[in-house]
Amino acid sequence: MILVNSVLTGAVLTGLPTATPSTFETPDVNWAALSPMLIVMGAGLIGMLFEAFLPRGRRHSAQVILAAAGIVVAFVALVVLAVDNRTVTMGGSVVIDGMSLFLIGALLLFGLLGVLTFAEKFGDDRPDAFTPMGASVPGSSYEAAVARAGLATSEVFPLALISLSGMMMFVSAGDLITMFVALEVLSLPLYVLVGLARRRRLLSQEASLKYFLLGAFASAFFLFGAALLYGYAGTTDLAGIAAAIGSPPPGMEPLLIPAILLVLVGLLFKVGAVPFHSWTPDAYQGAPTPVTGFMAAATKAAAFGAMLRFLYVGVESARWDYRYGVAAIAVLTMVVGAVVSVSQTDVKRLLAYSSVAHAGFILVGVLAFSTLGLRGVLFYALAYGLTTIAAFAVVSTVRQNDSEATNLSQWAGLGQRHPVVAGTFAFLLLAFTGIPLTSGFTAKFAAFAPAVESGTLGTVLVVIGVLASAVTAFVYVRIIVLMYFSDTPTDGVTVAEASPLTTAAIAVGTAATLILGVIPGPVLELAERASELLR
Amino acid sequence: MSLVNYIYLSAILFTIGGATVLLRRNAIIVFMGVELMLNAANLAFVTFARMHGSLEGQVIALFVMVVAAAEVVVGLAIIIMIFRSRRSASIDNVNLLKA
């Protein structure tokens, strides 16, 4: 530290005269490349205007149509405009390259399926999953009055759109400060969405508080790490940081490793890696089930996108200094996620621990540090997200006494009464396990194969990953056995008549799980072509 | 005075903020700890901007202030929601969700 001290004081004396740049250069903005993000964000802002000016009765359908249309138009813009404009734009802040295009496409798909599940009414006159008034105290007369008055929280759609635009910005952020702003834009609406469940509202509010406090804590770590990296490199630009690692600035070397670790804490929190996973089970269980599906799929894809860019573009050349630390976290994540899921009795909580384990599997692919590893991570994020949204949509249809039957004991014998729903869920669980002919197998193979090629560390990680998969297989097969071979079906557990919206989301997710398992070629090839990072 | 002292100060503030988050029980105080951590990062940004002779760090500090303000809006709303439901803002009382 004494070295830092003396050299930093030296830097002050020499550095000052350049403090004010003489001319201001306007950054070049490539609007075509940015169009998907801008469309989604614009749709979110228009949705807020709808909330203010449309009569109450027409808000729900207008918001659903606007959100779905916004996402579809953004996807069209992505395919037509952005694909041909792979570029570094906004003065290096936004990078539209293969990886961000692929992940933006995946996120838009998750967003569309998410909006479909958000809109489910189950024959009621308002969205089934969301409270009529988030501000009312649970169980109060005010809550009853707003329910009678027919209020509904249709603002969940603009919130989801704004969160989605933040995610799209997160995967394409080219400097740490854009990444930080995107992190907050994606997180803040999610904190609110988590707290808006219609039933079991105390649980939902509690989940919201925990997610918020821990999320804010983690983003503070990210920001301080970004500050230290700025001190190290003199810029927050990821390419600039990579250049600075190549020729280390004198006296600043001790800042590098703590800075990388602090930034990684923020990113690993978002993917739910152990030991930064403690929010995952609570937030997943307490949140309205459609929100859980959306955030499980989309947040994971977005956070792994940002992590890939940070690790592969920014600090790749320092990887020998931190890879054992990240590898240890990957091992912990896989083992804890798999082992703790064995003892779970709540379906949503069980899927949360499963998502923790999956975060570990994806980390194994990240640590391969190769183009094939990048391809594996992209494919895994897409396959896992589609399966997850469908799984949570199925969970939202299984009911007892007009409330979701999330306790595992309530799922006993479901296969005898509702073979289609139970069969779909069993298939999705097999995909989580990684059984061949499901997308889970292809994804695990795509993520693990490059890790084996990367060396001894990767091989060790893959062995642990396969063992952890075996443990999770026990968990999932136990549920399947419970659904099909349990003699005592619980009374009163029904499957709600789902509207075409939820049915479509489940169908798309399940079909994608099957197709990506049987004929993964085209999508793997797409992910391969997307495995390039602009610097 | 050497500029590096400001870096030490920001590290100390960051640590105090982190300790506040981990040790205090009132959700509002916990949240204040997070804000202290964000502002510690701001101090580091501004100091490094001065050291490097670039304006970038100072601009970033402004961005962080805006983001922190947005975070306060959402955070206080959530904490008030919890307080009205439970008549308490203690984070020890929110223990319904358990394994």
Side-chain angles (χ1 to χ4, degrees), chain B residues 47-69:
Chain B
T47 312
F48 282 130
R50 177 87 174 168
M51 285 180 181
H52 290 296
S54 77
L55 286 175
E56 202 180 343
Q58 303 187 15
V59 178
I60 290 169
L62 290 174
F63 272 89
V64 174
M65 282 180 212
V66 174
V67 169

Side-chain angles (χ1 to χ4, degrees), chain A residues 212-232:
Chain A
F212 169 74
L213 286 179
L214 292 173
F217 191 42
S219 59
F221 276 95
F222 180 94
L223 187 70
F224 201 73
L228 294 187
L229 271 179
Y230 173 65
Y232 175 81

Side-chain angles (χ1 to χ4, degrees), chain A residues 40-55 59 62-64 66-67 154-163 165 185 189, chain B residues 73:
Chain A
V40 171
M41 187 165 273
L45 295 177
I46 295 171
M48 283 159 69
L49 291 179
F50 277 16
E51 212 50 45
F53 293 112
L54 275 190
R59 269 184 221 162
Q63 292 284 22
V64 176
L66 173 74
S154 45
E155 64 263 33
V156 294
F157 297 101
L159 283 173
L161 285 177
I162 290 169
S163 177
S165 70
V185 172
Chain B
V73 172

Side-chain angles (χ1 to χ4, degrees), chain A residues 137-216:
Chain A
V137 176
S140 64
S141 56
Y142 181 52
E143 188 189 31
V146 291
R148 270 197 309 279
L151 266 65
T153 35
S154 45
E155 64 263 33
V156 294
F157 297 101
L159 283 173
L161 285 177
I162 290 169
S163 177
L164 189 62
S165 70
M167 292 167 183
M168 293 156 72
M169 196 169 28
F170 201 38
V171 297
S172 46
D175 67 50
L176 287 171
I177 225 53
T178 312
M179 216 178 251
F180 174 72
V181 174
L183 175 69
E184 294 293 328
V185 172
L186 89 83
S187 302
L188 293 178
L190 278 182
Y191 300 145
V192 179
L193 283 172
V194 165
L196 288 178
R198 181 171 175 191
R199 307 179 186 84
R200 298 178 192 159
R201 288 190 59 203
L202 283 178
L203 290 188
S204 173
Q205 295 183 350
E206 179 178 326
S208 175
L209 179 75
K210 286 178 173 173
Y211 190 19
F212 169 74
L213 286 179
L214 292 173

